[in-house]
Amino acid sequence: MLFKSTREFFQLAGAESEDIDAMIASQQVLQMNSYIHSFPDATHFIIECQNEKVGRVIVDFIGKSMHLVDISFLTEARGKGYGKTVIKALQQIATENATPITLVVEQGNIAARALYLKLGFISKSVTPPHEFLVWND
């Protein structure tokens, strides 16, 4: 349900509902396989608010750094400050362990990019369509 809510653009394709569901399911498998291959030791967390599942975050602790692999929320949970709260919690953990946080954001994801910059992340490099950001306390 979460993955599907992050792929709303498929609804614009005008395809049959079953075809859209099949494409989304295929993309989800590809994404998870990519994460498992690239970040085999990553930790997956379900984000809850008042016993309701609202999102997920995947974090990989690599040596002396923390990499935010993915953070996503259900459509109805977006814009409510949950992302900010989760990232601030990760920043607290990073501060306590004297580790930086790294992440990659799509340049077109304006809201996420703005949040990261507001929370002190700094752009280190751009390889379109992605941008590599780092946070250090």
Side-chain angles (χ1 to χ4, degrees):
M1 198 167 131
L2 173 63
F3 188 84
K4 186 175 182 178
S5 79
T6 65
R7 300 299 185 267
E8 295 163 336
F9 55 86
F10 275 121
Q11 304 304 324
L12 303 175
E16 295 293 326
S17 180
E18 307 83 45
D19 295 335
I20 292 171
D21 289 344
M23 285 188 287
I24 291 171
S26 175
Q27 274 202 339
Q28 185 176 14
V29 168
L30 290 171
Q31 182 189 64
M32 286 312 299
N33 286 341
S34 173
Y35 288 165
I36 289 167
H37 175 34
S38 299
F39 308 100
D41 298 322
T43 304
H44 299 238
F45 299 96
I46 300 296
I47 303 165
E48 292 187 1
C49 181
Q50 299 177 342
N51 295 321
E52 298 260 341
K53 293 177 176 133
V54 296
R56 74 158 184 207
V57 63
I58 302 172
V59 182
D60 195 18
F61 299 92
I62 309 165
K64 289 297 283 174
S65 71
M66 179 189 309
H67 183 73
L68 178 57
V69 176
D70 187 46
I71 185 170
S72 54
F73 294 91
L74 292 170
T75 304
E76 58 272 14
R78 294 182 199 142
K80 295 186 176 179
Y82 300 138
K84 181 178 179 179
T85 299
V86 170
I87 293 167
K88 283 187 163 201
L90 293 175
Q91 288 174 321
Q92 181 63 39
I93 294 166
T95 297
E96 291 168 4
N97 291 285
T99 64
I101 301 174
T102 61
L103 62 87
V104 175
V105 63
E106 287 187 26
Q107 289 177 294
N109 191 342
I110 305 301
R113 187 179 179 281
L115 175 63
Y116 299 138
L117 295 176
K118 181 178 177 182
L119 292 175
F121 284 81
I122 297 169
S123 178
K124 290 294 184 177
S125 65
V126 175
T127 307
H130 298 104
E131 187 170 1
F132 180 71
L133 303 176
V134 177
W135 179 86
N136 269 315
D137 184 30

